[in-house]
Amino acid sequence: MPDVPSGNAIVAQSGGPSAVINQSLVGVVDGLRGHRSIGTIYGARHGVRGMVKGDVVDLGAVDPQRLELVAATPSSALGSTRDKPDRAYCENIFATLKKLHVRYFFYIGGNDSSDTCRIVSELAGASGYDLRCFHVPKTVDNDLVMNDHTPGYPSAARYVATMFMGDNLDNRALPGIKINVVMGRHAGFLTAAAALMRLREDDGPHLVYLPERIFDVDRFVGDVERCMSRLGRCQIAVSEGIVDKDKQPIGATLIRTGQVDAHGNVQLSGSGALGDQLAELLKQKLTPAGGKPPRVRADTLGYAQRCWPDPSPVDSREAREAGRAAARAALAGELSGSVAVQRLRQEPYESGMKLVKLADVAAKTRHMPEEFMKGENNVSEAFLDYLRPLVGPMPSIGWL
Amino acid sequence: MPDVPSGNAIVAQSGGPSAVINQSLVGVVDGLRGHRSIGTIYGARHGVRGMVKGDVVDLGAVDPQRLELVAATPSSALGSTRDKPDRAYCENIFATLKKLHVRYFFYIGGNDSSDTCRIVSELAGASGYDLRCFHVPKTVDNDLVMNDHTPGYPSAARYVATMFMGDNLDNRALPGIKINVVMGRHAGFLTAAAALMRLREDDGPHLVYLPERIFDVDRFVGDVERCMSRLGRCQIAVSEGIVDKDKQPIGATLIRTGQVDAHGNVQLSGSGALGDQLAELLKQKLTPAGGKPPRVRADTLGYAQRCWPDPSPVDSREAREAGRAAARAALAGELSGSVAVQRLRQEPYESGMKLVKLADVAAKTRHMPEEFMKGENNVSEAFLDYLRPLVGPMPSIGWL
């Protein structure tokens, strides 16, 4: 008989939303509901913040049909937070959990959230409170270690690949230089997804710049110039996290070296500034003597990447299963852990979940492996093979 | 018997792409193919540019199945142009058309394209060349007069409404101030579409700023402040074309009055600058004495608005029918005209096409009528009733 103390459970969501984070929430409820050791299944509003305040809802009381609708809805239905608890914060969490007779804590989020889970778990142990803590993975950045990929990423990748596909057709129709800035401060997986729907040899993105590579401004200008000579157009995917050889963000470097003008208080990330700065740079450098500057436009993809309500079906299924797996682990008597997505088979694609140690995932960042990159400005076939089964059916296109 | 001279036809696409502009292209081919007066159906690459150079493809020779795939593909399959021909340019067009024995010219585009159609038609008449010129409407801005709405707009509106729907859920999960800048330099129809999916009383967008209204910076700050006091969050839809009382773009005004810092050569529109400037303004004005600035983020929606490959089914159907209607008009002996979309019935929705004079559409701009707006920062129920039947099925969502 597994050691499964009777008590209540609490589920919470953390960090940036994704299109499928509610699937994981409903997966946890699915997995716990009706089990004899589990009493009430609470949902805490706005992550650990709601756990401190006791701001909870009874998820077990929600009509299952409504819960299905919630599962299919993007963004964290319970609300989210970016709070990261320290010891004092944790003491307040325990006070609430004790009051609510909670023995099981499920936290859905990225690597910060798995670290929160680890801290809460350790402090509970140290204070003699039997609290079982489970982390359910979620991040559009795909930067959790121990996972083949992370729930949330396939849907974000689907959005990015679809956007680049349409934008490439736009760039064909009205040729010019087009820069698209993609999310992912430290890992290039989402930017790399831009390349998924290259169907013809001259389809964009023609250049892909990842945070795992050093971004050299002069080489960038040369890359674009060569692409323009060859095709008369150039579609570019740029990670918001590109850095120079000293690991400094490119926007800061361009301003410091006087290559573009500073823009007051505008933040370098989380705004359109990087795209606009790169566009300005290209206009300056690629204007022929006495000629007109080239047509350069920049889009920064924004929050639609993480909350577009057309998730990948594979992602929806896996996110649900990740939540269920966490519940199963708890009911099997595990004391803590992080669910990790494993690829079991490539063709036909099949995945499974396993439980790993919180400390093995917590606060670590995964990067694009070398074999997923090609040269300084492209992705490899290995990466495209990795991504293809995850995103779901994509639109078919025709050309003249 | 209608006067329908025997000859070839040419079709071309112009201006910014849309998700359904190829439906209109295929509609023209549908309508002409097999008619005894029509020989070859040419497609000109890159609009009038291909007509000058004789850069054409034989559309009648394209396999119908492939043509269907083209129809469902966003962005102009023949390529586009922003060239606007003068008399000399037109003489070069006529030279090609005469060489190709073309008697029928179909131009798919916005109000600039209908004006091009008018100029070509008039100059052909003046030079004694029997050329029948037809304009097929297309613009995501929805700013063509004589039309209930314009093919391309419903799909762009579908994208904008979907984006705001997901982004509102994101803003609920992690509350703050979120600005989203929407296309439409002179007409607010696309920005107004942001409001379509407000389902709960406190759903965003909470504020909608259209180019048809004077944008007052101080009132804007007050609007946002009141919204934050009431809800603790604020999602804002802003047209890229908002102007102050002197019709000056707001970005220029903010810089001139020293309210934000100038950003070198960055263009005021077609970049992330406006959103970033408004975000900077709100951070400055809404930071409490001695406190932290509020969380403000800005997204500028970009080209995905016009080339996202998930068009509205109504839009796809109407764009096809607009192309067919132009072909029918030609085969009925009409000398020239612009196809205009008419709403025949609201419930169940039904539309039809009629032919209007080129001069009635050419180079005119339609704006949001007064009854579609509510106060200074909102849209009316009448507008939402107008838009609802056009966008196709939207995602269902659930909440806790």
Side-chain angles (χ1 to χ4, degrees):
Chain A
M1 280 291 283
D3 158 35
V4 183
S6 289
N8 298 327
I10 196 161
V11 198
Q13 298 171 306
S14 179
S18 86
V20 299
I21 187 168
N22 294 329
Q23 291 282 3
S24 295
L25 173 70
V26 174
V28 171
V29 179
D30 278 353
L32 296 177
R33 193 149 35 182
H35 193 278
R36 62 188 160 69
S37 299
I38 305 295
T40 303
I41 307 165
Y42 292 110
R45 292 204 189 272
H46 295 287
V48 284
R49 212 172 256 237
M51 288 170 71
V52 166
K53 290 197 258 169
D55 184 5
V56 296
V57 339
D58 181 353
L59 292 173
V62 179
D63 173 69
Q65 213 174 332
R66 181 154 165 218
L67 221 47
E68 278 305 321
L69 211 50
V70 169
T73 298
S75 184
S76 319
L78 286 170
S80 191
T81 180
R82 296 210 179 269
D83 283 6
K84 208 178 154 184
D86 56 12
R87 180 174 291 268
Y89 200 114
C90 279
E91 292 303 332
N92 291 328
I93 290 177
F94 297 149
T96 306
L97 296 186
K98 282 176 188 163
K99 208 171 79 187
L100 295 173
H101 306 291
V102 166
R103 292 283 169 209
Y104 303 92
F105 167 38
F106 299 87
Y107 210 27
I108 311 168
N111 45 22
D112 261 10
S113 315
S114 64
D115 203 33
T116 295
C117 234
R118 184 189 60 78
I119 293 166
V120 170
S121 174
E122 284 174 13
L123 291 178
S127 69
Y129 180 57
D130 186 0
L131 183 70
R132 316 285 172 97
C133 298
F134 299 91
H135 169 241
V136 183
K138 178 278 321 172
T139 160
V140 299
D141 291 347
N142 204 36
D143 61 354
L144 286 185
V145 298
M146 309 293 288
N147 287 265
D148 175 78
H149 59 277
T150 317
Y153 170 66
S155 296
R158 176 179 174 80
Y159 178 87
V160 170
T162 307
M163 189 278 173
F164 271 83
M165 181 187 185
D167 186 73
N168 167 62
L169 295 167
D170 195 301
N171 186 251
R172 270 185 180 275
L174 285 172
I177 300 170
K178 179 70 193 297
I179 301 164
N180 293 317
V181 180
V182 183
M183 275 186 177
R185 199 67 52 83
H186 303 296
F189 294 99
L190 202 49
T191 303
L196 186 70
M197 294 303 290
R198 289 195 286 218
L199 303 175
R200 285 170 278 187
E201 193 163 349
D202 60 344
D203 272 344
H206 307 103
L207 300 167
V208 181
Y209 296 100
L210 306 170
E212 285 84 357
R213 292 280 192 239
I214 292 163
F215 186 87
D216 181 281
V217 169
D218 294 330
R219 195 175 53 213
F220 167 66
V221 173
D223 289 348
V224 177
E225 195 169 23
R226 273 188 299 280
C227 180
M228 286 301 284
S229 302
R230 190 166 63 89
L231 299 173
R233 68 186 190 97
C234 188
Q235 190 199 33
I236 308 165
V238 175
S239 164
E240 64 176 359
I242 50 168
V243 290
D244 67 13
K245 62 179 169 29
D246 304 317
K247 305 276 175 199
Q248 293 305 301
I250 293 304
T253 304
L254 289 174
I255 291 170
R256 188 172 38 76
T257 57
Q259 296 190 77
V260 301
D261 295 302
H263 181 185
N265 298 321
V266 166
Q267 63 211 40
L268 289 174
S269 66
S271 79
L274 175 61
D276 289 346
Q277 286 166 342
L278 292 175
E280 188 186 344
L281 175 79
L282 290 176
K283 275 184 207 165
Q284 283 176 24
K285 301 277 184 180
L286 298 182
T287 302
K292 281 203 309 186
R295 188 175 177 269
V296 188
R297 285 288 304 262
D299 280 341
T300 301
L301 269 61
Y303 282 6
Q305 293 166 95
R306 67 188 202 190
C307 60
W308 186 256
D310 174 30
S312 148
V314 172
D315 197 19
S316 298
R317 201 166 61 232
E318 290 179 343
R320 177 74 75 107
E321 183 54 23
R324 286 201 187 109
R328 272 200 306 273
L331 298 175
E334 298 284 352
L335 301 181
S336 70
S338 176
V339 172
V341 180
Q342 311 297 307
R343 184 176 306 226
L344 303 179
R345 199 165 56 185
Q346 171 71 7
E347 182 65 43
Y349 173 78
E350 204 183 308
S351 63
M353 306 292 150
K354 81 171 182 191
L355 197 71
V356 299
K357 290 201 178 75
L358 285 172
D360 287 347
V361 178
K364 294 191 170 81
T365 299
R366 182 186 176 212
H367 298 282
M368 284 275 281
E370 201 52 46
E371 68 265 26
F372 280 3
M373 298 184 280
K374 189 172 153 189
E376 297 297 319
N377 55 29
N378 205 351
V379 302
S380 69
E381 277 304 313
F383 169 74
L384 297 174
D385 289 344
Y386 161 85
L387 180 59
R388 209 167 277 117
L390 306 181
V391 295
M394 297 291 287
S396 298
I397 69 156
W399 52 81
L400 294 172
Chain B
M1 279 290 284
D3 158 36
V4 183
S6 288
N8 298 326
I10 196 161
V11 197
Q13 296 172 309
S14 179
S18 87
V20 298
I21 186 169
N22 294 329
Q23 292 282 2
S24 295
L25 174 69
V26 175
V28 171
V29 178
D30 278 354
L32 296 178
R33 196 153 25 187
H35 193 279
R36 61 187 161 68
S37 299
I38 304 294
T40 304
I41 307 165
Y42 291 110
R45 291 205 188 275
H46 295 288
V48 285
R49 212 173 256 236
M51 287 170 71
V52 166
K53 290 198 256 169
D55 185 5
V56 296
V57 336
D58 181 353
L59 292 173
V62 179
D63 173 70
Q65 214 173 332
R66 181 154 166 219
L67 221 47
E68 276 307 319
L69 211 51
V70 169
T73 298
S75 185
S76 318
L78 287 171
S80 191
T81 181
R82 295 210 180 271
D83 284 5
K84 208 178 153 188
D86 54 13
R87 179 174 289 267
Y89 201 114
C90 280
E91 292 302 333
N92 291 327
I93 291 177
F94 297 149
T96 304
L97 296 187
K98 282 176 189 165
K99 208 170 80 185
L100 294 173
H101 305 292
V102 166
R103 291 282 169 209
Y104 303 93
F105 167 38
F106 299 87
Y107 210 27
I108 311 167
N111 44 22
D112 262 9
S113 315
S114 63
D115 204 31
T116 295
C117 235
R118 183 188 61 76
I119 293 166
V120 169
S121 175
E122 285 175 12
L123 291 178
S127 70
Y129 180 57
D130 186 359
L131 181 70
R132 316 285 172 97
C133 299
F134 300 92
H135 169 242
V136 183
K138 179 278 322 173
T139 159
V140 299
D141 290 348
N142 204 36
D143 61 355
L144 285 186
V145 298
M146 309 292 287
N147 287 265
D148 175 78
H149 59 279
T150 317
Y153 170 66
S155 295
R158 175 178 174 81
Y159 178 87
V160 170
T162 307
M163 188 280 170
F164 270 82
M165 180 187 186
D167 185 73
N168 168 62
L169 295 167
D170 194 301
N171 185 251
R172 272 184 178 275
L174 286 172
I177 300 170
K178 179 69 192 299
I179 301 164
N180 293 318
V181 179
V182 183
M183 275 186 177
R185 198 68 52 83
H186 304 295
F189 294 100
L190 202 48
T191 303
L196 186 70
M197 294 303 290
R198 288 195 286 219
L199 303 174
R200 285 171 277 188
E201 191 160 353
D202 60 345
D203 272 344
H206 307 102
L207 300 167
V208 181
Y209 296 100
L210 305 170
E212 284 84 357
R213 293 278 193 239
I214 292 164
F215 186 86
D216 181 281
V217 170
D218 293 332
R219 193 175 57 212
F220 168 66
V221 173
D223 289 348
V224 176
E225 194 168 24
R226 274 187 300 280
C227 180
M228 286 301 284
S229 304
R230 190 165 64 89
L231 299 173
R233 69 185 190 97
C234 189
Q235 190 199 33
I236 308 165
V238 175
S239 164
E240 62 175 0
I242 50 169
V243 290
D244 68 12
K245 61 178 170 28
D246 305 317
K247 306 277 176 198
Q248 293 306 302
I250 292 305
T253 304
L254 289 173
I255 291 170
R256 187 172 39 76
T257 56
Q259 295 189 77
V260 300
D261 295 303
H263 181 185
N265 298 323
V266 167
Q267 63 212 40
L268 290 174
S269 65
S271 80
L274 175 62
D276 289 345
Q277 286 166 341
L278 293 174
E280 189 185 343
L281 175 80
L282 290 176
K283 276 185 206 165
Q284 283 176 24
K285 301 279 183 178
L286 299 181
T287 303
K292 281 203 311 186
R295 187 176 178 269
V296 188
R297 285 289 303 263
D299 280 341
T300 301
L301 270 59
Y303 282 7
Q305 293 166 96
R306 66 187 201 189
C307 59
W308 186 256
D310 175 29
S312 148
V314 172
D315 198 17
S316 297
R317 202 166 58 232
E318 291 180 341
R320 177 74 75 107
E321 183 52 24
R324 285 201 188 109
R328 271 200 307 273
L331 297 175
E334 298 285 352
L335 301 182
S336 71
S338 177
V339 172
V341 180
Q342 310 297 308
R343 186 176 305 227
L344 302 180
R345 199 165 58 187
Q346 170 72 5
E347 182 64 43
Y349 173 78
E350 204 184 306
S351 63
M353 305 294 148
K354 81 172 182 190
L355 197 71
V356 300
K357 289 201 179 75
L358 285 171
D360 287 348
V361 178
K364 294 191 170 81
T365 299
R366 181 187 176 211
H367 298 283
M368 285 274 283
E370 201 53 46
E371 69 264 26
F372 281 3
M373 298 184 278
K374 188 173 154 187
E376 297 298 318
N377 55 29
N378 206 351
V379 300
S380 69
E381 278 304 314
F383 170 74
L384 298 174
D385 290 343
Y386 161 83
L387 180 59
R388 210 168 276 117
L390 306 182
V391 295
M394 297 291 287
S396 298
I397 70 159
W399 53 82
L400 294 171

